[in-house]
Amino acid sequence: MERIALVGHSYIARLEDDIKRGHLDFGINLNLPEDYLVGYFGFRGATSSSLVDSPQMQVCKEWKPHKVFLQVGGNDISPVMSAVDVVQGIRGVADRFLDFESVESVIIGSLFHRTRPRGMTAEDYNVQVDRVNKFLKKFYQQDTRVHFWTIRGLVKPSWNIWTSDGTHLNNSATMKYAQQIRMAVRCNKYR
């Protein structure tokens, strides 16, 4: 049984909630084959630093995942954090997972543009997102245990993917997000 941990901020927590409430056309295991078991370890507002020392991290470790899909960093971006600082935080979380005896690989999901970030303009926020994604992609290009996954269609959306808050994914975007996680997990299996 391949144990897949989905870990991160509100995108993961909300994905789990939407599936449990029947708002998405996915089962709790994201309709992956029977030899997969998916666990959700997300909490709203998570940053790289708050995630590392969170109860979710300890519970995840005890759950013994083989693979981790990590969605974090979007809440780290601020006027006082450089893209390099954000990347270092994400790398720190990925490294922590690699220290788990059970973890074979970590997949880092790309950060998303936002229309209404807190504390800065959307333009400034989105420039930082692009920098972080570029740095992560380059840094992990040759890594055999950590992979950067571009969430196709959602990083720089050409359609309205947001709820009214301009930060969280609407229902159709959440469906696309879940599909991309499924693809990342399956593609990563064959690397």
Side-chain angles (χ1 to χ4, degrees), residues 85-146:
D85 293 335
V86 175
V87 168
Q88 291 300 333
I90 296 168
R91 286 182 55 207
V93 178
D95 289 347
R96 176 70 65 93
F97 279 116
L98 292 176
D99 288 340
F100 291 7
E101 189 175 310
S102 63
V103 172
E104 298 164 4
S105 65
V106 177
I107 304 164
I108 299 172
S110 57
L111 278 62
F112 297 67
H113 282 193
R114 293 182 180 176
T115 59
R116 288 190 228 142
R118 285 174 272 193
M120 58 196 309
T121 68
E123 183 179 346
D124 289 343
Y125 180 90
N126 295 335
V127 165
Q128 287 291 74
V129 165
D130 292 343
R131 286 181 183 148
V132 169
N133 286 339
K134 181 179 175 184
F135 291 157
L136 288 170
K137 183 176 182 176
K138 184 173 183 170
F139 186 81
Y140 288 116
Q141 197 166 9
Q142 301 298 320
D143 199 299
T144 58
R145 293 188 68 201
V146 180

Side-chain angles (χ1 to χ4, degrees), residues 19-78:
I19 290 171
K20 285 181 175 178
R21 290 182 182 138
H23 296 168
L24 298 178
D25 207 14
F26 285 105
I28 199 70
N29 279 337
L30 294 178
N31 297 350
L32 287 163
E34 289 180 11
D35 58 333
Y36 287 87
L37 180 62
V38 177
Y40 296 81
F41 305 91
F43 69 96
R44 288 162 171 77
T47 62
S48 297
S49 61
S50 68
L51 186 58
V52 167
D53 297 319
S54 69
Q56 285 84 349
M57 185 69 95
Q58 185 59 39
V59 172
C60 183
K61 182 178 184 177
E62 292 166 6
W63 192 70
K64 298 185 185 327
H66 301 111
K67 192 176 294 179
V68 175
F69 181 89
L70 179 61
Q71 188 71 58
V72 72
N75 294 328
D76 295 39
I77 295 175
S78 74

